[in-house]
Amino acid sequence: MAVDDATITEVQLGGRRGGPDVATLRTDKWWKLPVTTVAVLSAFIVYATWAAFFGTSNFFYAAHNLLSPFYSPCLGNICKTQGVTTSPFLGWWQLSPALIILVFPLGFRMTCYYYRKAYYRSFWRSPVACAVQDAHSTYSGETRAPLILQNIHRYFFYFGLVFNVLLTIDAVQAFIWPGGGVHMSIGTLVLCLNASLLWLYSLSCHACRHLCGGQVRNFSKHPIRHKLWKFVTPLNAKHMQFAWMSLVVVAMTDVYVRLVASGTITDFKIF
Amino acid sequence: MADLTMRIWRGDQDGGELVDYEIESQEGEVVLDVIHRLQATQIPDLACRWNCKAGKCGSCSAEINGMPRLMCMTRMDQLPDGPITVTPMRAFPIIRDLVTDVSFNFEMAKRVPAFNPPPMPEGGYRMQQIDVERGQEFRKCIECFMCQNVCHVIRDHEENKANYAGPRFFIRYAELEMHPLDTNDRRELVREKMGLGLCNITKCCTEVCPEHIKITDNAIIPLKERAVDAHYDPVAWLGRKITRRTKRSAAEAAADRP
Amino acid sequence: MADYEHHSYDVIIIGAGGAGLRAAIEAKQRGLRVALICKSLLGKAHTVMAEGGVAAAMGNVYPEDNWQVHFRDTMRGGKMLNNWRMAQLHAQEAPDRVLELEEWGALFDRTKDGKITQRDFGGHRYARLAHVGDRTGLELIRTLQQKAVSMDIDVFMECKILRLLRDDNGAVSGAVGYWRPTGEFITFSAKAVILATGGVGKSWKYTSNSWEGTGDGHAIALWAGAELIDMECIQFHPTGMVWPLSVRGILVTEGVRGDGGVLRNSEGKRFMFDYVADMFRAETAESEEEADKWYDDHTAGRRPPELLPRDEVARSINTEVKAGRGSPHGGVFLDIASRRSAEFIRRRLPSMYHQFMELAGVDITATPMEVGPTCHYIMGGVRVEADTAATGIPGLFAAGEVAGGMHGSNRLGGNSLSDLIVFGRRAGMGAADYVEGRADAQTLDVAQVQSIIDESLEPYTRETGENPYDIQRDLQELMQSNVGIIRTGSELDEALVQLEALKVRVDNISVKGGRVYNPAWNLATDLPAMLTVSTCAALGAQARKESRGGHTREDFPKADPEFGKVNMVLSQPTGSGMNADVKLDPQPILTMPDELKALFEEAK
């Protein structure tokens, strides 16, 4: 049964509020967290932009089969020139493949329930911290365009899963070097770490938790979905940590591949 | 020796100000103890709401050094040195001193469509522990209304009060949506009329909850996802279209029978 | 002449804890116009503090359990002073009342097969307490509150009732009170009034009760001419915290002592060995060595003396404190820190550990606690007729802690929540039956109303006078030391003299400031009720020259079968107040029918 009409009683608006009319009375260092968030997210955005637009070389270290996550799947002609053999090509795409690819992870993170909190607070200052006045005089939340689009988060989650699979394949392929044989290097471990954290970030996602089992009313009638839900729930509690760790590691992975590919450092071979 | 300065907001609908009171500190006190001592010795008419003084009733909500806290759960020895500011909850109209008019919350409580179970079988309902646990978390709520108070949607935007249930009642809706026996579907109601979309999940409600209820992660976001199921998800929408059609035709077929 | 707003209802219910809410729901379901009046916000009543559970012989865990066993446990717990009919109705109806809560949305903890699970509690033969973790009272009040709200019952929050009104025929006709948020007066006309105001603990220094427990219902009923019974029967917990202030009154579970905690005085002596009465000597350890063996293996030694019955432990603590060997803040030390590892304490007593850590910064794994006897619950109260909850005044009903008789001289844990829902409903039914046969609401006696209003405003008329907080503090000290857990004739005599002196001071209170949410004035209007119930408790305690359940006389340490046959009935002339003499009249308790008596024979 759907509830069409609740009793909507009148709420009396207005009336003077108590306390002094100041933005906040907080005395602790509440601004530290938003400042840090702005710094880290801005750094990532600057770096990712550079990597996508201008870093169109050195994203692949052919000798050890290490492909930067920003360029996977490696679509487009650039990949051919770099000698990438592990991905399909889109011959007609002349620009950086990262421009296509990044839309999805970026969309996933932009609509992520955790990142929404982070940027609504730190960039939009609505509110910048608890019990600190909202920086804007009007507010409509996520009820109108464009923010109403946050509701499609689950589709970005699905796409995110596809990327996780691709990056996992990349990590596995990195163990097989050109010329055959199975080898391990710091680079393969970096790709594994990156793929793992991205999996953890995706699986800990709130939409994932809902789709796994959160949406059912009676767990006892859906034992498998309950098991799935029980599995992702503790991960979900660490979603914020996974969000930051995977963000930093994905950038560091790109940096590592570039440093190796450009010959600045050597990818230490373990066996 | 008066070694403690309590900076308390005194006032009413006609306005007010912060007033400093000097008092001797004592070992092992919470803010409410100091307020009580001030009442008994210096300011007999200092208005403050309280009941159990054990963190179980949720009456003594106020803002201490700018943060919403229960006065009975805030130890003096954990506050920084210097004057301690105690002000009433900011989001609600003031009555006097530290007491606010929280009737907004009771209006929102009236709007919640009642729990609607099937008729009780002989010997009572059967429910599994795993099915009641999610709701039990929300039923820990002591209705201190600090989540409502800290929520910027109404704290800083008065006009939203007309159409916003607030975190306390989002957990109530979530509890009912997850109740193993309830037969109502409140998803559209919460989206359309209770302002679920106004919440931008900035999680201050969770931060101030004295019962440590994961309001955002366990109630509001699951409600938002349910609203997606019921309204936004294009595939789910298509699915509903199809199933509804089959159901309708079955019903029509039944009606056609002589 | 003061202005006031006026409301007319079929039934008004004073108090919105478990009993008041349940009564309101019942009366509303009968189609009556109902008002629910409470001194605080809705849902803040003392019911939220109940932790253990609701006692109901549902037999979900032990199918052998039934109402007869529950009845017998309750009567025995109350030392047979109970109103047997109340105990019977309570035991018979509690299971249905609990199930009904689930119909209204409550979520109790479950058994494996999906029923409501039940836990063990002291004095109950079988595991019988339906519960939700340790917040059962909150679950109960929230469920009833949500049900009441969904039924659109009118609620008057933060509204203090000063007095009841009676019409020319002696029936209750309404009540007078004021809004705490505005200080404006309000009157109610009603065909029936249900009292559900809870307890009286705020007259004691160490109490687990909130500020609301001022005995308003007891007092306004008595002033209106109703009778109170057994007001001396008050349950004290031997180990409530006395210090730090932030946790004063919070109870320390017996589990602390069961897990190795010992009581020490200021000299560091484990004093309980000095207080083992003859009747317990055979089963109690004689030395610390023997007692310490018991914790690990109950057959290796006899029980430590710390685990003697509650009143024995409390009496010993009392004696130590009075002998000057108490802790700095008037209790004794409960020490588990020096006897068990921190890890053990945290594992066995997690909620105790966290509560004291969070509220007081007291680490019970590192330092001893300062504990003392704490006022917890009053068994006595308004005398009611069991089936209808009707008092002696036509149209006046009472349910919950304010009603007397159900628990006799001592209440079993878990029986208070079930009391609320069983007799809350019965009071609602009783009031509805009464109302249905009556004509419309009476006209208001304007002169009576005006005198009540004037009386309450007197503190504002005095330029100088007593500070109400000082009187409250002195009253609490007096009751704690003279009408506390252990009483003697001379101290009670002294208490009665001093109570009269306090009443004189109450009549000289001066209050400054406005009437808008003025706690000093609010307290001034609570004090007459506090003094009235304190007087009743002292009078009852003085008259009952025996020790029984929650009433312990040092000068009469044994139960006296003759006193076991009477209720101490207290009364005042209609329309009196704090200053009128209270008459005490011992009256025989109700006689139990033979078929119920047989239950006690069988068990022997």
Side-chain angles (χ1 to χ4, degrees):
Chain A
M1 184 190 121
V3 182
D4 291 329
D5 278 300
T7 330
I8 304 293
T9 51
E10 278 297 301
V11 174
Q12 204 162 7
L13 298 182
R16 182 193 281 265
R17 313 280 189 89
D21 291 320
V22 293
T24 187
L25 287 167
R26 282 182 69 168
T27 49
D28 56 334
K29 298 188 169 57
W30 52 264
W31 41 265
K32 265 188 174 170
L33 200 63
V35 166
T36 314
T37 308
V38 168
V40 176
L41 279 182
S42 305
F44 180 83
I45 291 163
V46 168
Y47 178 77
T49 309
W50 173 83
F53 280 89
F54 308 105
T56 48
S57 58
N58 293 327
F59 55 78
F60 182 63
Y61 179 49
H64 289 181
N65 237 349
L66 299 180
L67 177 62
S68 157
F70 283 7
Y71 284 76
S72 176
C74 204
L75 312 161
N77 262 338
I78 294 170
C79 296
K80 209 179 277 176
T81 62
Q82 290 275 321
V84 179
T85 52
T86 54
S87 289
F89 294 101
L90 285 178
W92 49 268
W93 183 259
Q94 299 299 326
L95 299 171
S96 160
L99 295 182
I100 316 177
I101 297 160
L102 283 181
V103 170
F104 297 100
L106 191 70
F108 186 38
R109 284 180 196 256
M110 284 291 284
T111 60
C112 159
Y113 286 102
Y114 168 68
Y115 282 107
R116 271 144 79 179
K117 170 200 167 187
Y119 62 75
Y120 287 141
R121 277 200 189 192
S122 56
F123 284 88
W124 195 243
R125 292 173 295 136
S126 180
V128 65
C130 302
V132 178
Q133 196 169 16
D134 196 329
H136 305 269
S137 59
T138 59
Y139 177 82
S140 59
E142 298 180 338
T143 57
R144 295 185 202 155
L147 292 181
I148 201 165
L149 290 174
Q150 305 279 27
N151 286 302
I152 59 169
H153 182 49
R154 62 176 61 167
Y155 286 92
F156 282 112
F157 163 70
Y158 298 141
F159 282 116
L161 290 183
V162 173
F163 278 81
N164 291 348
V165 170
L166 292 171
L167 290 171
T168 307
I169 293 170
D170 286 349
V172 170
Q173 285 184 336
F175 285 94
I176 305 157
W177 292 356
V182 173
H183 304 276
M184 188 162 86
S185 68
I186 299 294
T188 51
L189 293 181
V190 167
L191 289 197
C192 286
L193 176 69
N194 180 49
S196 310
L197 283 171
L198 288 172
W199 273 114
L200 286 171
Y201 173 60
S202 298
L203 293 178
S204 65
C205 154
H206 292 83
C208 170
R209 182 171 178 235
H210 174 75
L211 297 163
C212 278
Q215 67 192 155
V216 305
R217 207 184 260 276
N218 280 292
F219 281 141
S220 53
K221 292 183 186 151
H222 300 89
I224 294 169
R225 299 194 67 182
H226 180 238
K227 279 216 174 75
L228 286 171
W229 183 83
K230 287 275 274 192
F231 172 72
V232 298
T233 290
L235 295 179
N236 176 256
K238 299 219 174 309
H239 193 49
M240 176 182 87
Q241 286 86 331
F242 292 140
W244 286 116
M245 282 156 65
S246 61
L247 185 84
V248 171
V249 166
V250 82
M252 297 312 289
T253 306
D254 182 74
V255 169
Y256 184 84
V257 172
R258 284 172 193 281
L259 290 177
V260 173
S262 63
T264 316
I265 58 171
T266 17
D267 183 31
F268 180 73
K269 183 184 167 185
I270 298 168
F271 62 81
Chain B
M1 191 196 78
D3 54 350
L4 190 63
T5 303
M6 298 297 285
R7 186 163 288 169
I8 300 171
W9 194 83
R10 305 292 313 275
D12 52 27
Q13 274 296 317
D14 299 324
E17 59 184 345
L18 289 169
V19 182
D20 283 2
Y21 297 94
E22 309 289 325
I23 190 168
E24 194 178 325
S25 68
Q26 283 185 8
E27 193 199 332
E29 286 188 313
V30 291
V31 171
L32 188 57
D33 290 316
V34 181
I35 297 286
H36 282 164
R37 279 203 290 127
L38 281 170
Q39 284 180 329
T41 56
Q42 298 180 30
I43 1 172
D45 67 336
L46 172 62
C48 136
R49 203 179 254 141
W50 71 285
N51 275 59
C52 75
K53 214 177 97 59
K56 292 193 174 170
C57 77
S59 299
C60 61
S61 312
E63 302 195 359
I64 297 164
N65 287 342
M67 265 307 265
R69 309 278 296 261
L70 289 179
M71 288 191 277
C72 73
M73 296 284 280
T74 308
R75 281 160 49 193
M76 293 297 290
D77 61 5
Q78 287 188 333
L79 295 171
D81 292 338
I84 288 160
T85 314
V86 187
T87 53
M89 285 198 283
R90 183 75 179 144
F92 308 119
I94 187 71
I95 292 177
R96 204 164 76 79
D97 300 345
L98 301 177
V99 178
T100 54
D101 174 2
V102 293
S103 54
F104 162 77
N105 302 291
F106 291 99
E107 289 305 321
M108 286 302 152
K110 283 187 202 159
R111 293 185 180 185
V112 181
F115 171 60
N116 189 28
M120 185 163 69
E122 192 63 34
Y125 297 108
R126 298 294 176 98
M127 289 183 264
Q128 293 303 314
Q129 185 67 30
I130 50 171
D131 291 327
V132 302
E133 268 165 6
R134 281 189 298 179
Q136 283 181 335
E137 180 190 6
F138 307 135
R139 293 183 72 85
K140 287 195 299 190
C141 172
I142 57 173
E143 297 203 324
C144 62
F145 304 130
M146 290 198 296
C147 56
Q148 308 283 81
N149 171 50
V150 82
C151 181
H152 70 113
V153 177
I154 47 177
R155 184 185 176 95
D156 300 320
H157 307 282
E158 176 79 17
E159 67 283 3
N160 285 331
K161 277 186 184 166
N163 300 300
Y164 186 64
R168 192 278 167 258
F169 295 99
F170 289 144
I171 68 173
R172 173 72 175 138
Y173 284 105
E175 174 210 322
L176 289 166
E177 280 301 301
M178 296 175 193
H179 195 298
L181 296 175
D182 188 50
T183 57
N184 280 334
D185 179 353
R186 298 171 178 76
R187 295 178 300 181
E188 278 298 271
L189 176 77
V190 176
R191 185 189 65 81
E192 250 185 299
K193 293 180 178 159
M194 297 303 155
L196 182 66
L198 286 171
C199 167
N200 68 348
I201 49 172
T202 33
K203 272 195 168 176
C204 287
C205 48
T206 306
E207 262 181 51
V208 301
C209 179
E211 287 294 306
H212 309 295
I213 300 170
K214 300 268 180 292
I215 301 174
T216 320
D217 286 334
N218 289 351
I220 298 182
I221 294 175
L223 278 180
K224 281 187 175 248
E225 285 295 314
R226 279 169 169 74
V228 177
D229 285 343
H231 188 80
Y232 296 110
D233 187 330
V235 175
W237 176 81
L238 201 67
R240 267 196 313 280
K241 276 275 181 204
I242 294 162
T243 49
R244 201 173 291 165
R245 188 157 299 147
T246 28
K247 268 183 199 154
R248 197 184 298 133
S249 53
E252 281 162 2
D256 286 343
R257 262 182 237 129
Chain C
M1 183 175 147
D3 281 336
Y4 47 84
E5 62 176 282
H6 178 70
H7 298 268
S8 185
Y9 284 94
D10 292 325
V11 183
I12 62 170
I13 294 135
I14 305 170
L21 281 161
R22 187 61 189 83
I25 291 167
E26 194 64 26
K28 183 80 179 180
Q29 274 175 343
R30 295 277 290 265
L32 300 178
R33 290 171 301 132
V34 176
L36 188 58
I37 305 162
C38 48
K39 221 155 56 146
S40 291
L41 297 174
L42 185 61
K44 306 298 182 196
H46 200 59
T47 307
V48 298
M49 298 291 284
E51 297 183 341
V54 196
M58 308 171 82
N60 288 355
V61 176
Y62 288 91
E64 314 67 328
D65 198 11
N66 56 42
W67 75 260
Q68 286 93 342
V69 186
H70 190 186
F71 167 75
R72 199 165 60 206
D73 290 347
T74 302
M75 292 295 296
R76 282 202 178 133
K79 306 292 185 289
M80 306 304 281
L81 201 61
N82 318 50
N83 175 326
W84 65 266
R85 179 62 181 158
M86 288 178 91
Q88 182 191 25
L89 287 170
H90 168 259
Q92 286 174 330
E93 295 179 359
D96 283 345
R97 298 287 78 74
V98 172
L99 289 178
E100 180 178 76
L101 291 174
E102 289 221 310
E103 212 169 355
W104 298 341
L107 291 170
F108 288 99
D109 288 345
R110 321 304 300 181
T111 61
K112 283 236 171 347
D113 57 351
K115 295 184 198 164
I116 296 171
T117 192
Q118 299 184 275
R119 68 156 59 115
D120 272 312
F121 229 66
H124 291 283
R125 177 148 173 212
Y126 298 111
R128 187 182 282 150
L129 271 69
H131 59 274
V132 189
D134 61 358
R135 51 164 196 87
T136 316
L138 177 67
E139 184 71 12
L140 185 128
I141 200 167
R142 203 62 83 227
T143 303
L144 294 173
Q145 174 189 346
Q146 285 162 349
K147 176 70 181 169
V149 167
S150 76
M151 296 174 80
D152 207 18
I153 291 170
D154 293 347
V155 186
F156 294 77
M157 290 186 223
E158 304 202 301
C159 184
K160 149 98 182 174
I161 295 299
L162 294 160
R163 292 271 194 163
L164 297 175
L165 297 171
R166 294 184 70 174
D167 65 16
D168 299 338
N169 305 320
V172 151
S173 60
V176 181
Y178 64 85
W179 290 104
R180 298 205 305 131
T182 60
E184 299 295 327
F185 289 94
I186 179 168
T187 56
F188 294 91
S189 288
K191 298 177 196 170
V193 175
I194 299 173
L195 296 173
T197 53
V200 304
K202 211 57 203 171
S203 295
W204 278 261
K205 183 179 179 188
Y206 301 124
T207 175
S208 59
N209 289 191
S210 82
W211 72 270
E212 287 191 289
T214 51
D216 291 14
H218 293 85
I220 59 177
L222 186 75
W223 295 336
E227 292 169 333
L228 306 184
I229 56 167
D230 300 334
M231 291 292 285
E232 69 282 5
C233 295
I234 295 167
Q235 195 171 62
F236 283 79
H237 194 285
T239 57
M241 290 294 278
V242 301
W243 188 259
L245 212 51
S246 55
V247 285
R248 188 162 100 178
I250 293 182
L251 304 181
V252 181
T253 164
E254 265 172 48
V256 172
R257 281 171 281 145
D259 278 334
V262 297
L263 294 163
R264 293 187 201 278
N265 61 21
S266 58
E267 295 159 3
K269 184 173 180 210
R270 191 170 164 187
F271 59 81
M272 279 306 296
F273 287 100
D274 302 344
Y275 294 93
V276 183
D278 289 341
M279 63 183 294
F280 299 111
R281 214 169 279 286
E283 59 200 63
T284 309
E286 273 166 36
S287 65
E288 297 201 20
E289 295 72 41
E290 185 188 354
D292 287 350
K293 281 183 200 148
W294 177 88
Y295 297 108
D296 296 325
D297 178 1
H298 290 4
T299 59
R302 288 171 290 175
R303 288 163 72 86
E306 281 82 7
L307 293 171
L308 286 169
R310 281 183 179 186
D311 53 337
E312 300 285 323
V313 177
R315 183 183 306 129
S316 315
I317 295 175
N318 213 44
T319 311
E320 285 295 311
V321 174
K322 284 197 173 165
R325 294 191 293 272
S327 68
H329 304 96
V332 293
F333 295 105
L334 173 55
D335 175 22
I336 189 168
S338 70
R339 296 174 46 86
R340 295 286 181 267
S341 73
E343 195 270 331
F344 176 90
I345 297 168
R346 277 196 293 266
R347 182 166 48 80
R348 292 293 296 244
L349 303 159
S351 58
M352 281 283 117
Y353 171 77
H354 284 293
Q355 190 167 33
F356 290 119
M357 205 60 187
E358 201 168 328
L359 283 174
V362 171
D363 184 352
I364 64 169
T365 68
T367 49
M369 295 166 256
E370 278 189 61
V371 297
T374 297
C375 182
H376 185 46
Y377 187 91
I378 184 156
M379 277 70 70
V382 181
R383 190 184 209 181
V384 291
E385 201 272 313
D387 290 73
T388 58
T391 68
I393 301 177
L396 183 65
F397 301 80
E401 194 173 345
V402 69
M406 160 68 208
H407 304 289
S409 65
N410 183 40
R411 178 180 65 82
L412 296 186
N415 271 1
S416 58
L417 289 184
S418 39
D419 174 8
L420 304 182
I421 45 181
V422 168
F423 292 104
R425 169 172 165 273
R426 287 221 158 243
M429 283 165 45
D433 290 342
Y434 171 84
V435 163
E436 276 163 5
R438 291 182 69 86
D440 216 26
Q442 295 70 20
T443 50
L444 205 62
D445 179 347
V446 178
Q448 211 181 342
V449 171
Q450 192 57 48
S451 78
I452 294 166
I453 291 175
D454 291 345
E455 185 188 22
S456 74
L457 289 175
E458 271 175 26
Y460 284 109
T461 63
R462 299 186 193 100
E463 263 309 299
T464 57
E466 291 282 345
N467 176 349
Y469 296 97
D470 291 344
I471 301 177
Q472 177 184 241
R473 188 196 56 227
D474 294 347
L475 171 67
Q476 290 170 337
E477 296 281 356
L478 173 68
M479 294 305 282
Q480 190 73 32
S481 64
N482 287 37
V483 198
I485 180 158
I486 313 297
R487 296 129 184 202
T488 67
S490 56
E491 285 178 355
L492 292 167
D493 295 341
E494 172 66 20
L496 283 163
V497 172
Q498 291 201 22
L499 283 168
E500 292 310 312
L502 285 171
K503 288 175 188 172
V504 174
R505 288 173 65 191
V506 168
D507 281 335
N508 194 31
I509 289 176
S510 165
V511 167
K512 296 277 180 298
R515 271 155 50 193
V516 173
Y517 225 108
N518 186 339
W521 180 49
N522 298 162
L523 179 57
T525 60
D526 284 341
L527 277 167
M530 293 169 76
L531 277 153
T532 293
V533 294
S534 300
T535 305
C536 291
L539 276 174
Q542 193 191 42
R544 190 176 283 283
K545 295 183 168 50
E546 63 158 351
S547 293
R548 179 178 298 274
H551 168 66
T552 308
R553 284 283 296 260
E554 203 158 27
D555 40 357
F556 299 98
K558 292 213 169 63
D560 178 341
E562 290 308 309
F563 278 107
K565 290 178 192 155
V566 293
N567 292 128
M568 295 299 164
V569 181
L570 301 143
S571 60
Q572 275 186 344
T574 300
S576 47
M578 175 184 76
N579 288 316
D581 284 341
V582 180
K583 188 171 134 237
L584 184 136
D585 181 21
Q587 289 178 20
I589 60 171
L590 297 179
T591 324
M592 202 188 296
D594 291 339
E595 69 266 26
L596 291 179
K597 274 186 189 151
L599 290 172
F600 297 88
E601 300 301 319
E602 277 169 35
K604 273 179 188 168

